[in-house]
Amino acid sequence: MSEISSRRIYYLAAVAIVAIVLISAVATTRPLSIQTNGPSSTQQKTLQVMGVGTVSAQPDQAIILLAVQTQAATATQASSDNALIMSKVMDALANVGIGKSSIETVSYSLAPIYEYKQDQTTPPKIVGYAVRNAIQVAVTDFSLVGKALDAAINAGVNEVQGVMFTLSNAALTKIEKQALQFAIQDADGKAKAVASSLGVTLLGPISVTPGYFYQPMFEKASISGNQTPIQPGTLQVTVNVQITYQIA
């Protein structure tokens, strides 16, 4: 093959690749699209739209994330010390009205503590062991959040990751249904507007694909001698729905 022919093939391939990339970019950025599916004898025209629905709600549940870390010369001692402190934490939480059924262990770890020498030829030496026991405490009475934090810290908790304000499963399911209804109404309104503008008729939806977005609210809390103030805000649940309509 001559050098000129090779260059022509190279240029044609490059142009084809650029064209494919441009077509893909346009196809993925259009919020509304009209498609024709199937062979020419049985063509099915469709209109695809995206709807969004958002519902605001007050959280009905708080998750407090706590941990106890201990260190000792032996693994047994580190584990024993940790268990003793965690037992005191459980009792302190019970005294403010939080039962054991509301407390769940998130993680538990035991690891050696190494001492490293400055010279890289000496291997590290185990000088002790560290134990970390992390729990989460679920409460529905928000007036107990600050009290629970203070009681747990006074009992020996030395790590507070924060507080998550969230929705219970029952509340979240109810709000998701409301947001889905709003998203469908939004998509239906867009479809009717597009159909009217283009002079086509909506024959009905042939596919519906919902997507849900919900993020709990996370509040940081620090270990201090003062009473811990905690005030929840407002959560938002968003549903996106993609609906494909058959048109004529």
Side-chain angles (χ1 to χ4, degrees):
M1 182 180 294
S2 67
E3 182 179 354
I4 295 176
S5 298
S6 299
R7 288 181 178 177
R8 287 178 178 174
I9 293 174
Y10 173 79
Y11 291 147
L12 289 174
V15 170
I17 292 173
V18 171
I20 291 172
V21 171
L22 290 175
I23 292 172
S24 300
V26 172
T28 56
T29 55
R30 290 184 300 175
L32 303 172
S33 63
I34 296 179
Q35 301 174 350
T36 301
N37 303 321
S40 58
S41 59
T42 58
Q43 287 184 345
Q44 183 183 57
K45 295 181 179 180
T46 60
L47 169 65
Q48 190 176 84
V49 295
M50 180 76 73
V52 180
T54 300
V55 175
S56 298
Q58 291 294 324
D60 64 348
Q61 183 175 252
I63 306 295
I64 309 170
L65 304 174
L66 309 170
V68 172
Q69 299 186 63
T70 53
Q71 296 182 5
T74 65
T76 301
Q77 188 61 49
S79 179
S80 177
D81 292 346
N82 195 287
L84 179 61
I85 296 174
M86 187 57 74
S87 177
K88 293 180 180 179
V89 171
M90 295 290 190
D91 292 340
L93 292 174
N95 289 335
V96 297
I98 300 174
K100 291 184 178 180
S101 61
S102 300
I103 304 171
E104 180 182 348
T105 299
V106 177
S107 65
Y108 184 94
S109 63
L110 186 153
I113 302 172
Y114 291 96
E115 181 183 73
Y116 294 89
K117 300 295 183 180
Q118 290 185 351
D119 63 285
Q120 299 181 356
T121 58
T122 304
K125 177 184 177 182
I126 296 178
V127 295
Y129 291 85
V131 172
R132 182 178 184 273
N133 188 357
I135 61 173
Q136 66 176 28
V137 183
V139 297
T140 55
D141 183 356
F142 293 162
S143 66
L144 294 179
V145 174
K147 296 178 181 178
L149 282 169
D150 295 336
I153 292 168
N154 291 332
V157 161
N158 50 16
E159 181 182 334
V160 179
Q161 293 179 299
V163 180
M164 284 194 304
F165 290 99
T166 182
L167 294 169
S168 61
N169 291 334
L172 181 58
T173 299
K174 180 180 178 180
I175 293 173
E176 281 180 342
K177 289 180 179 179
Q178 295 176 357
L180 178 59
Q181 291 177 348
F182 292 152
I184 292 174
Q185 292 172 4
D186 181 45
D188 191 60
K190 291 177 181 177
K192 290 177 180 177
V194 173
S196 176
S197 299
L198 297 179
V200 298
T201 302
L202 292 177
L203 300 181
I206 57 177
S207 71
V208 179
T209 306
Y212 300 89
F213 176 78
Y214 161 66
Q215 184 174 1
M217 183 179 301
F218 187 79
E219 296 287 344
K220 291 184 178 180
S222 60
I223 298 178
S224 65
N226 300 324
Q227 187 173 2
T228 306
I230 298 292
Q231 182 64 38
T234 302
L235 301 175
Q236 286 190 333
V237 177
T238 299
V239 175
N240 298 319
V241 63
Q242 180 177 288
I243 303 180
T244 301
Y245 293 84
Q246 184 178 356
I247 60 175

